[in-house]
Amino acid sequence: MQTFVVGLGRAGAGLHIPVLARARSAARPLFDTLPIVACDPRRTVQDSAEVTVTSTFEQAERLLVPAKTVVHVCTPPAVRVTVLAELAELGFRRFIVEKPLAVDTDELARVIRLRRKFGLHLEIVEPWLTSTLTKRLTKLVRGSALGELKSISIVQNKPRFRRSLLAPGHPSAFDVELPHGVGVALRLAGNARVTHSAGQDLVMGELVVPRMGGAQIGLRHNSGVRTLIESDLTSPVRERRITCEFSQGSAVGHYAVSDDDDHAQFTVIQDGQATRTVLRDDSLTAWMIRAYRNFHAGADQLSAGLDFAAEVVRILAVAKNICAEPVTGERRARNAG
């Protein structure tokens, strides 16, 4: 398979291209030997032996065979559906799409219509679901070592001032980190409904970026488990922590906070004793290899990955609607200035 990366921001240039280098080395038969083709009108990455950069889809198409190409859609969520539509018209059919799949249920419906019209094979980026840490937690939930799962708490904090101020591609903080957390909660505890949500603006002096400061979601799963997911994008520290409370103990996991290190940490507390384990967890590389295997196999992800990603979008859409209040008063005046 040839590879085409669309969008060379943080996701494309900072994550997908480096991860593709590791994946191509680890699973060579899945990938074409030709250089990766990338497209971004800003040309933020220079041409190299591994990557050929173009500024338009038409330029990129001349270097690719659409029927034999996997497209990585790494554009901001607000323009993702438009990009999918343009590329589908050019004959591309296999797509890796960054999370979230869509920013609301209307956009989700457009994605589903595009998939049906063009017969698209979509793989939605979900490295937390292939994470070694998530697998350990799933094993605890399915087993009986700690008893019945009672509650889940997920904290996803990081400082995100510069990107929120300079590149407003995400409509709200709900679209940044929370798709990962919602996906893990659904995987561990099953289907859920939103019980409450809240969002905060990013405030820095006189400058206000509406709804980009942070977000919270409360879930009640059909199984009775309750989940609270919180994300602070003004935090001074990075943290991706999950706490699962069981009837006979608890488990605390720390996902890797960046691409600087590919290790997670896992602590089980039972009878007053804590056992800590450090796990190798290059989850995005593992996920990428699995996605390319699915493309080679022609696996239809409609009933699995796409439905799951769609449910995450629906939950986030409900949460956004609950706290979708207009910017008013002093904050509106600040933002207008």
Side-chain angles (χ1 to χ4, degrees):
M1 294 285 180
Q2 289 182 276
T3 298
F4 179 27
V5 177
V6 178
L8 291 173
R10 168 61 181 163
L15 288 177
H16 282 243
I17 288 178
V19 167
L20 277 163
R22 297 197 295 272
R24 285 158 72 103
S25 177
R28 293 184 185 278
L30 297 177
F31 301 88
D32 199 292
T33 57
L34 293 171
I36 295 168
V37 176
C39 182
D40 195 313
R42 299 166 299 176
R43 294 184 63 89
T44 54
V45 172
Q46 296 299 315
D47 284 350
S48 67
E50 293 77 29
V51 182
T52 300
V53 183
T54 65
S55 57
T56 68
F57 290 162
E58 289 72 20
Q59 291 175 0
E61 186 188 13
R62 290 195 287 269
L63 302 174
L64 298 162
V65 179
K68 298 180 179 179
T69 298
V70 174
V71 183
H72 294 237
V73 181
C74 302
T75 57
V79 300
R80 205 160 281 156
V81 179
T82 300
V83 169
L84 280 172
E86 291 180 9
L87 291 170
E89 290 285 357
L90 290 173
F92 294 96
R93 296 294 180 263
R94 299 177 179 89
F95 293 89
I96 285 175
V97 184
E98 261 296 341
K99 54 78 184 169
L101 174 60
V103 296
D104 55 37
T105 52
D106 288 341
E107 293 288 273
L108 175 61
R110 289 185 61 196
V111 172
I112 293 173
R113 286 196 296 270
L114 282 171
R115 187 214 176 271
R116 290 172 178 166
K117 178 179 178 179
F118 292 101
L120 305 182
H121 181 159
L122 305 176
E123 296 278 346
I124 317 306
V125 176
E126 49 184 23
W128 282 34
L129 299 185
T130 57
S131 164
T132 306
L133 174 55
T134 302
K135 291 176 182 176
R136 289 289 189 97
L137 290 168
T138 302
K139 186 176 181 181
L140 274 181
V141 171
R142 303 291 184 264
S144 57
L146 295 180
E148 183 182 0
L149 178 63
K150 296 295 186 180
S151 67
I152 301 170
S153 172
I154 300 175
V155 175
Q156 300 170 286
N157 295 338
K158 66 179 180 181
R160 197 183 184 275
F161 293 94
R162 184 171 62 86
R163 290 180 63 199
S164 295
L165 292 170
L166 298 179
H170 290 74
S172 74
F174 288 96
D175 303 292
V176 180
E177 290 283 342
L178 267 68
H180 290 308
V182 171
V184 168
L186 296 180
R187 175 61 53 85
L188 294 176
N191 293 339
R193 62 177 179 84
V194 179
T195 58
H196 63 279
S197 69
Q200 295 81 43
D201 298 340
L202 186 155
V203 181
M204 195 172 73
E206 294 299 309
L207 184 62
V208 177
V209 183
R211 304 180 184 89
M212 284 303 299
Q216 301 85 39
I217 297 179
L219 301 176
R220 182 176 179 84
H221 300 267
N222 295 349
S223 59
V225 174
R226 288 188 177 272
T227 291
L228 177 64
I229 307 172
E230 302 176 281
S231 179
D232 180 0
L233 301 183
T234 68
S235 171
V237 297
R238 288 177 174 267
E239 182 178 23
R240 286 174 161 177
R241 170 171 46 87
I242 180 170
T243 303
C244 295
E245 297 290 346
F246 296 83
S247 58
Q248 299 172 27
S250 60
V252 181
H254 291 266
Y255 291 93
V257 295
S258 72
D259 55 342
D260 295 334
D261 200 353
D262 56 1
H263 288 73
Q265 299 187 40
F266 180 58
T267 302
V268 175
I269 302 100
Q270 187 175 30
D271 299 328
Q273 299 293 317
T275 304
R276 175 172 168 266
T277 305
V278 177
L279 307 168
R280 175 71 188 280
D281 198 20
D282 189 0
S283 56
L284 186 52
T285 303
W287 182 90
M288 199 76 72
I289 291 171
R290 188 189 72 174
Y292 271 78
R293 284 184 177 140
N294 287 341
F295 289 129
H296 273 272
D300 188 342
Q301 297 299 295
L302 178 61
S303 61
L306 185 57
D307 273 3
F308 191 88
E311 185 59 23
V312 171
V313 170
R314 293 186 188 102
I315 284 177
L316 290 171
V318 171
K320 292 175 193 177
N321 287 337
I322 289 174
C323 62
E325 298 179 357
V327 182
T328 58
E330 181 183 4
R331 288 191 173 183
R332 181 186 294 275
R334 285 182 182 177
N335 206 41

